[in-house]
Amino acid sequence: MPDHEESSTGRVRLGVDVGGTFTDLVAVDRDGALRFAKVPSVPADPSSGVLAAVAAAALAGPEVGAFAHGTTVATNALLERAGARTALVTTRGFRDVIEIGRQNRPSLYDLTRDRPPSLVPRELRFTVAERCGPDGVIEPLLAAEVERVVAEVAAVPGLEAVAVCLLFSFAHPGHERILAAALRRRLPAITVVASSEILPVFREYERFTTAAADAYLTPRLSSYLRRLERRCAGHGLTVPAVMQSSGGVTELSEAASHAARCVLSGPAGGVVGAAYIAGLSGVRDLLTFDMGGTSTDVAPVLGGQALTTSESVLAGVPVMLPAVDVHSVSAGGGSIAWVDGGGALRVGPRSAGADPGPACYGRGGTRPTVTDADLYLGYLADGAGLGGELTLSRAAAEVALRELGQPLGLTPEQAAAGVVAVADAEMTRALRVVSVERGIDPRELVLVAFGGAGGTHACALADEIGITRVLVPLAAGVLSALGLAIGDVRRDHTRPLLGRLGAVDLAGAFAELVAGTEPPRSGPDAAPAPAPGPAGEVTLQRRVDCRYVGQSHELTIDVDEGATAGRVAEAVRTAFEAEHLRRYGHIAPEREIETVAVRLVATVRGPRPAPVAPPADPSARRGHRQAWTDGEWHRIEVIPRAALGAGEAVTGPAVVEFAESTCLVRRGWTGTVDEVGTLVLTHGGTA
């Protein structure tokens, strides 16, 4: 592994997160000092927002030693169905697998609601005469057949990508490799993805949709990342690495080759940052609550580790790649409030975004949003600057809210309170999805609130689900960017292993994976260079997908590294039944367990700065303003975050104004600043 200290002359590590409304930056010095920046995103060219954030932080290229980036380019392309023109090549008779899907419907009782359209229209799905089964080749793939299907694909006008998805290729990839190689030779300018390369596991539907998504998204993400790489080079910046959905970063070239691994790039950074900062405050079991301008993302963290899943469904498309177990809802600060045909007040899913933005931005937006409601109710300051380029106007928010409330007979404050209540209800449901529905009691967890609006709504959400402790980090407004800056370099490896536990050679399967594993690179031209000592070392985590015989779906279990070769099966059974009990509330000790796949996660640990709470700034002045709490207007204290040093207390109701975010401390809540600068809020007592 290269010596990162010698390969990097810069002393600052950057994390830059591009969101739908703002682009956030955190710079970490070698001594652990942090610098923040927030600028409006540029939807037409996100790389412009990245460079604007670097400029806002007053950083020069030679200062930057490593640079990690989180992006929503792939996410948005999937949500908006704005990916590449993609073809699919599959086994004869299986052309419509990606459209038939499973029996479940998007909404069980809504007979008018259809599934989202397939990423590959039927006329772009091609079949080939070949067949493999569990034991190998049944029908050989002939050279003439390869030539025929390649010619048909090459004749498609405007084609940008091809997914090759054959039956049983996870176990016998030979035919798929032949087809992929032939397509790459004939069409060198287009993206070709073989399902056995991206997801070598069984279940043809999920494998096919994941490969199709990877092909569909890769040209868009690759184009953006290569443009960003060129622009960074022009400004003397190192090649950025990219956050993956799994919560680890990878080199830009790898992300540009397989975009499906980065569809949750931005939210994953927030979970990493929240888990780390909470750990510094002695909290290892938590729910993350990231409320940004466009959406809200929530996730569970247990034992200091973010829970991951390989069963994500994004915009109706199963993407079965490792991902932080994030649940997202369209309830961000920019979510637009509206009245439906039945006269009910709704919030989202449409967002005002960065341009024109909420009405209070003064950029031409006229529709009321959650940010407008928060501003009108006094949670945000009239005239406050935002992102260095915006000034909030309460008068503009009032005009939009008055228009919203008129058809319902509501005053502006009633309309604003209704918007906040509807948004809070949506976010509360999201928190229940990642806690109660995962077999986790939220009352035993701590809520970590971040994002520009997280602290504003955190106490209300905590009250709803019975959480009595909330953490609001010093870097709350840019915590996702901090997660990027400290992220581990990570690579995931998978291979199928079907058989009864005890009969399969788990130890041998893991040994084969380890032998074929290329360790993550850590040089600044590949991915962020980890710090010396414990950081920088390669860690291998062994995992196995297993289930009771007869079950339809698996649980992914960590394998105890201390288990000897002869006791791996016993260790897996113990861990599986503990997880099964937590998730489903029961176990069946008399039933046999079977394995489906083994996984190996190779990571190089990123740096772990040790922030210290800055002393109180004597020039930071406290004040008061009117705010709507408990159903009426009250005069409450407004405290600049800079006025609070370690050990200083806050009693609700009060507003604490951070540099990039705001925290509303509701009545019944108190808080103190801990030694790392986190505002620790407690309900019903002292913090």
Side-chain angles (χ1 to χ4, degrees):
M1 188 157 299
D3 184 335
H4 63 276
E5 291 296 337
E6 293 181 0
S7 62
S8 175
T9 57
R11 62 183 304 269
V12 177
R13 296 175 53 87
L14 289 188
V16 181
D17 176 46
V18 178
T21 305
F22 289 100
T23 295
D24 301 334
L25 176 146
V26 169
V28 183
D29 293 336
R30 285 182 181 168
D31 59 6
L34 304 178
R35 278 183 276 173
F36 312 145
K38 181 184 283 285
V39 299
S41 293
V42 183
D45 182 8
S47 65
S48 296
V50 173
L51 296 175
V54 173
L59 288 167
E63 295 181 79
V64 179
F67 175 12
H69 177 44
T71 173
T72 58
V73 169
T75 315
N76 293 341
L78 192 60
L79 291 171
E80 298 167 6
R81 291 298 194 267
R85 181 169 167 80
T86 303
L88 175 75
V89 177
T90 190
T91 303
R92 185 172 54 191
F94 291 84
R95 179 184 187 186
D96 297 320
V97 163
I98 63 171
E99 191 159 357
I100 295 170
R102 301 291 179 191
Q103 289 184 339
N104 55 308
R105 299 198 301 271
S107 181
L108 185 59
Y109 299 107
D110 186 352
L111 300 181
T112 65
R113 185 174 174 185
D114 293 329
R115 289 192 181 96
S118 168
L119 298 181
V120 182
R122 197 169 194 271
E123 64 271 16
L124 295 183
R125 301 177 209 151
F126 301 89
T127 64
V128 60
E130 68 82 41
R131 188 68 177 266
C132 289
D135 299 321
V137 176
I138 297 173
E139 179 181 358
L141 176 63
L142 302 179
E145 190 69 2
V146 173
E147 184 177 350
R148 177 194 62 78
V149 76
V150 169
E152 289 181 2
V153 172
V156 175
L159 190 67
E160 298 172 88
V162 181
V164 183
C165 306
L166 304 183
L167 212 61
F168 278 95
S169 63
F170 67 93
H172 307 287
H175 288 179
E176 210 169 76
R177 289 172 179 168
I178 291 170
L179 277 167
L183 285 163
R184 286 165 180 153
R185 285 193 301 269
R186 179 72 178 270
L187 302 167
I190 73 168
T191 297
V192 177
V193 174
S195 71
S196 55
E197 296 172 350
I198 186 73
L199 187 66
V201 298
F202 89 127
R203 288 202 181 93
E204 64 271 13
Y205 170 59
E206 286 78 6
R207 179 162 50 86
F208 287 13
T209 59
T210 300
D214 195 48
Y216 181 78
L217 299 173
T218 292
R220 296 291 180 267
L221 182 62
S222 178
S223 175
Y224 163 68
L225 290 177
R226 295 303 182 187
R227 181 170 66 253
L228 175 64
E229 181 181 18
R230 291 192 298 270
R231 297 195 68 181
C232 286
H235 287 74
L237 292 168
T238 187
V239 178
V242 181
M243 176 62 76
Q244 303 172 93
S245 303
S246 62
V249 297
T250 190
E251 51 264 35
L252 182 144
S253 58
E254 178 66 18
S257 299
H258 292 295
R261 292 175 177 158
C262 302
V263 289
L264 291 176
S265 175
V271 177
V272 171
Y276 174 65
I277 291 296
L280 296 178
S281 298
V283 174
R284 293 177 59 78
D285 298 323
L286 56 128
L287 291 176
T288 69
F289 168 49
D290 177 8
M291 185 178 178
T294 304
S295 65
T296 290
D297 306 308
V298 298
V301 174
L302 299 180
Q305 298 295 317
L307 298 189
T308 58
T309 180
S310 57
E311 298 182 355
S312 301
V313 179
L314 305 168
V317 180
V319 179
M320 302 291 101
L321 296 171
V324 172
D325 193 7
V326 172
H327 182 67
S328 300
V329 292
S330 300
S335 295
I336 294 172
W338 54 288
V339 179
D340 68 16
L345 182 61
R346 306 283 295 275
V347 174
R350 291 186 57 196
S351 173
D355 186 14
C360 61
Y361 282 11
R363 286 187 162 189
T366 59
R367 305 290 298 277
T369 67
V370 177
T371 296
D372 292 303
D374 286 342
L375 174 62
Y376 185 79
L377 296 176
Y379 309 151
L380 307 178
D382 185 23
L386 200 61
E389 298 182 18
L390 303 173
T391 301
L392 301 184
S393 168
R394 186 173 184 271
E398 181 177 2
V399 170
L401 290 164
R402 188 180 301 279
E403 184 176 340
L404 174 71
Q406 279 179 345
L408 303 176
L410 301 178
T411 63
E413 58 262 29
Q414 289 172 330
V419 170
V420 170
V422 172
D424 284 354
E426 184 71 14
M427 293 184 290
T428 299
R429 282 193 291 271
L431 288 169
R432 290 196 172 106
V433 166
V434 297
S435 57
V436 177
E437 294 186 17
R438 302 287 194 272
I440 302 169
D441 187 346
R443 297 170 297 182
E444 299 175 356
L445 306 181
V446 174
L447 187 66
V448 180
F450 55 103
T456 306
H457 295 257
C459 290
L461 270 59
D463 284 337
E464 284 294 320
I465 61 176
I467 288 178
T468 59
R469 196 176 178 203
V470 172
L471 305 186
V472 186
L474 180 63
V478 293
L479 197 65
S480 292
L482 176 61
L484 297 171
I486 67 171
D488 297 337
V489 184
R490 170 169 171 155
R491 280 189 178 166
D492 290 84
H493 306 269
T494 305
R495 59 156 287 186
L497 187 67
L498 298 170
R500 301 293 174 95
L501 185 63
V504 296
D505 183 7
L506 275 172
F510 283 126
E512 289 182 18
L513 271 182
V514 171
T517 296
E518 179 186 350
R521 293 159 55 199
S522 62
D525 57 346
E537 298 177 358
V538 178
T539 299
L540 300 178
Q541 182 183 23
R542 296 161 175 82
R543 315 188 81 188
V544 58
D545 294 353
C546 50
R547 62 190 181 186
Y548 285 125
V549 173
Q551 282 186 317
S552 297
H553 292 276
E554 308 79 48
L555 294 174
T556 300
I557 304 301
D558 290 334
V559 178
D560 185 359
E561 292 185 14
T564 62
R567 302 196 64 185
V568 172
E570 180 182 340
V572 168
R573 181 168 196 110
T574 300
F576 171 79
E577 292 193 328
E579 179 66 8
H580 199 280
L581 181 64
R582 184 185 71 79
R583 288 291 297 269
Y584 305 121
H586 68 93
I587 59 174
E590 73 285 355
R591 294 179 64 179
E592 287 193 84
I593 294 173
E594 62 184 359
T595 65
V596 172
V598 289
R599 302 176 184 270
L600 187 72
V601 182
T603 57
V604 177
R605 188 169 180 262
R608 296 296 186 265
V612 176
D617 181 356
S619 66
R621 302 299 179 189
R622 302 186 182 211
H624 292 81
R625 67 168 172 259
Q626 293 291 112
W628 182 271
T629 62
D630 304 312
E632 56 185 350
W633 293 101
H634 293 274
R635 181 175 170 80
I636 68 173
E637 188 175 19
V638 178
I639 308 168
R641 174 61 187 83
L644 299 173
E648 296 198 50
V650 177
T651 301
V655 168
V656 180
E657 295 184 332
F658 290 63
E660 302 84 16
S661 60
T662 301
C663 177
L664 174 63
V665 184
R666 291 189 174 269
R667 190 178 305 278
W669 288 81
T670 59
T672 59
V673 176
D674 68 12
E675 294 181 353
V676 298
T678 296
L679 180 60
V680 182
L681 303 174
T682 304
H683 186 270
T686 58

